[in-house]
Amino acid sequence: MIGHRLKIARAAAGLSLRDLALEIDSLVTAQAIGKYERNEDMPRSSVLLALADALRVSEEYLLSDDDLVLEGVEFRKKPNTSAREEAAIEANSIHLLERYLAIEDMLQLKSVDWEKPRSAPHPVLDIRDAEDAARSVREEWGLGNDPIPQLAELLEERGIKVLSLALENIDGLAAKVRRKDHMAARLVVVKCDAWSERKRFTLAHELGHMVIEPAASLSEKDVEKAAHRFAGAFLIPADTLRAEMGSNRSSVSLGELVALKARFGVSIQAITYRCKDLGILNQSAFVKLFKLFNQRGWRKPPYAEPQAIPSSWEEPKRFERLCYRALAENLIGEPRAAELLGISVRELDARLDNPVH
């Protein structure tokens, strides 16, 4: 039955039932499409083809019964985010993830299982316990105290699917993914056009939620603070930062913060928070710096700090590489590769001829 997939594809396209009926030139009514989505009826072949064309998916996609379900979805969002926007983002996430899993199946690759650290979940009774959790994950994954060059690649190596979407009021989301006859997977979605330092912090923040177990006594706000503390500790290990800055500073220059930003790949503001958390900067110095950040306009969109790291730096690339591999091995043709990548055949040819994009 096509109900679930039809509804997902329609939500991903941002269409209402009435909109979709108009897109297919009123071959059937909005009420009829609603029946298809509730699995109360099945469209005839001509309607199925029209629906697939309008939604830019294949007929096989609509007819497949390998449904994905997102569970425990957590958004990093602005307060004015609408329920409709959240639903569209979830739908787009499922849609992209299905393509990802499809290409893994074509290549007969075992979908990498989530490599949960052995010591996880880490109990967090106090926000500072997140510091120990980050240190443990780094140790178990053999990362030492060095900065992490590309976090999206690291997480994908550990079995977390990372997707990049055009988002407005949402910085990202994390969820468990249930798939028929498969173990639950992990998913993180980031905002494609955000500066990479913001993407990296979002990725580390969501990893924190996956590996910590907050005490019931912690408020929702404190749980978010714990995930923030985890992200800071994971991206900027305490020993490394102290070696760079010393243990106690009464002030720090913007030039030094910019240099640290280039080293760790995180925002100047995140580094400043980290210095405060570790007691390297006192409250007075911290407040003084954030007043300066406000004056410079770095606390508001587009968060244009100096030496911003381009959004392309922290883009997940594994899915794209797998599509090129399947094309090279003649498992798919150019039209199918373009469909999976969500681009035109002309754009695909341009990428193959000139890989810088």
Side-chain angles (χ1 to χ4, degrees):
M1 302 296 281
I2 72 168
H4 179 72
R5 286 188 169 234
L6 177 58
K7 188 173 183 178
I8 289 294
R10 178 174 63 78
L15 297 175
S16 67
L17 290 171
R18 186 183 299 274
D19 292 337
L20 182 52
L22 291 174
E23 286 287 326
I24 62 172
D25 297 325
S26 299
L27 277 175
V28 294
T29 64
Q31 289 80 4
I33 297 173
K35 286 186 176 182
Y36 302 154
E37 291 188 358
R38 296 190 297 272
N39 289 320
E40 295 173 358
D41 197 2
M42 277 290 289
R44 61 184 184 273
S45 58
S46 60
V47 175
L48 179 65
L49 178 60
L51 289 169
D53 285 345
L55 296 171
R56 297 182 182 179
V57 298
S58 66
E59 294 173 74
E60 291 77 14
Y61 166 82
L62 290 177
L63 292 170
S64 173
D65 63 354
D66 189 13
D67 290 335
L68 298 180
V69 178
L70 299 187
E71 297 179 344
V73 179
E74 295 288 344
F75 288 95
R76 290 195 70 199
K77 61 183 181 180
K78 296 178 182 177
N80 61 341
T81 305
S82 68
R84 183 171 182 175
E85 185 177 357
E86 290 182 15
I89 296 303
E90 287 191 46
N92 271 304
S93 300
I94 291 174
H95 194 42
L96 280 176
L97 186 58
E98 284 176 327
R99 294 179 182 182
Y100 201 144
L101 297 174
I103 203 71
E104 286 184 331
D105 289 342
M106 288 179 201
L107 291 166
Q108 297 183 338
L109 296 175
K110 179 179 180 291
S111 188
V112 182
D113 291 331
W114 155 228
E115 188 179 329
K116 182 179 178 181
R118 293 185 304 276
S119 58
H122 297 271
V124 172
L125 304 177
D126 181 272
I127 293 171
R128 289 169 294 183
D129 293 336
E131 190 88 26
D132 295 330
R135 188 181 302 111
S136 294
V137 174
R138 271 186 162 266
E139 288 176 358
E140 291 184 34
W141 282 358
L143 300 178
N145 282 327
D146 294 328
I148 299 169
Q150 289 181 303
L151 185 52
E153 290 284 338
L154 172 67
L155 296 186
E156 293 229 287
E157 288 172 5
R158 303 293 171 169
I160 300 171
K161 293 291 188 289
V162 181
L163 303 179
S164 181
L165 289 174
L167 307 174
E168 292 186 14
N169 293 318
I170 296 172
D171 281 333
L173 71 83
K176 290 181 181 179
V177 182
R178 293 288 175 186
R179 185 185 182 197
K180 186 178 179 182
D181 301 325
H182 288 73
M183 292 180 63
R186 292 285 187 163
L187 169 70
V188 177
V189 177
V190 293
K191 188 174 183 177
C192 65
D193 59 354
W195 301 116
S196 283
E197 53 266 43
R198 291 183 66 82
K199 289 183 186 178
R200 287 166 61 80
F201 201 87
T202 294
L203 290 168
H205 177 100
E206 299 305 346
L207 175 62
H209 279 301
M210 293 180 195
V211 300
I212 65 176
E213 187 174 52
S217 58
L218 290 182
S219 67
E220 184 176 339
K221 186 176 181 179
D222 282 342
V223 172
E224 287 301 302
K225 286 182 178 179
H228 277 319
R229 184 67 179 260
F230 175 94
F234 189 74
L235 292 169
I236 315 170
D239 291 344
T240 305
L241 187 60
R242 289 193 179 104
E244 291 276 354
M245 297 191 68
S247 298
N248 197 315
R249 298 279 297 275
S250 58
S251 66
V252 59
S253 70
L254 288 181
E256 187 176 358
L257 291 173
V258 169
L260 289 168
K261 174 178 183 171
R263 175 156 166 68
F264 292 106
V266 299
S267 71
I268 289 171
Q269 295 172 65
I271 294 168
T272 306
Y273 265 111
R274 187 78 179 121
C275 289
K276 179 178 76 73
D277 287 342
L278 295 175
I280 295 173
L281 288 176
N282 59 32
Q283 184 67 20
S284 176
F286 175 80
V287 170
K288 184 178 179 180
L289 280 168
F290 266 80
K291 284 182 179 178
L292 179 58
F293 300 158
N294 270 318
Q295 291 169 5
R296 299 287 177 99
W298 302 345
R299 299 278 288 156
K300 299 177 181 178
Y303 307 103
E305 292 184 353
Q307 302 298 316
I309 306 170
S311 60
S312 58
W313 177 255
E314 198 57 83
E315 275 289 279
K317 294 291 185 182
R318 182 173 180 264
F319 170 65
E320 184 176 352
R321 292 196 300 269
L322 293 182
C323 288
Y324 293 150
R325 175 179 165 184
L327 181 59
E329 294 181 8
N330 295 316
L331 295 174
I332 55 175
E334 286 195 3
R336 178 61 171 150
E339 179 191 350
L340 288 167
L341 290 167
I343 59 177
S344 67
V345 173
R346 178 177 294 182
E347 172 64 17
L348 175 63
D349 288 338
R351 290 189 185 185
L352 294 173
D353 289 339
N354 179 15
V356 178
H357 62 275

